Amino acid sequence: MTLPKPIEYNCDHVSLDSSTGGLIVVLSAIGAIFCLVCLLVVTIKRKTAIMKMSQFVFLQISCTGSALLCLSNLGNLGENTDFLCMARIYAFIIGFTLMVFPLVSKTRRIFMIMSNKKLKKMVVANSKVFAEILGV
């Protein structure tokens, strides 16, 4: 028994009309909607003790970045143009940065508290953490 000859398609992009394109749209939409629902829950429950301890501003930034990261996959659909090439890169980079930034900032805050040699009481404001992470 011989196998059929492979079929080659000369296509450098994923078409929106294809089943793969439809799957990318559906999964990106589901991921973005989930992130936006999480953002809504965090915003509604921001006055609770657990959200105050979790610093809801950072949670909101992380949820927004996650949604943008999910939607950045949509830039891979359609023919490659200069605009799409730039949009997909910037959407991915900005989404990833917004998603990871809160984790890095919280880790930095813990480092500042733990590296306190004299064990004095220390208050590290959100604005100070933002300024240090952004290099201001």
Side-chain angles (χ1 to χ4, degrees), residues 11-25 73-80 84 88:
C11 184
D12 64 345
H13 63 278
V14 177
S15 174
L16 184 61
D17 300 335
S18 68
S19 58
T20 304
L23 183 65
I24 289 172
V25 169
N73 291 322
L74 298 177
N76 295 321
L77 300 175
E79 291 188 37
N80 294 322
L84 275 181
R88 73 176 66 128

Side-chain angles (χ1 to χ4, degrees), residues 118-129:
K118 297 181 181 179
L119 299 175
K120 288 191 217 171
K121 185 176 180 180
M122 210 176 163
V123 176
V124 183
N126 286 343
S127 59
K128 184 175 181 180
V129 175

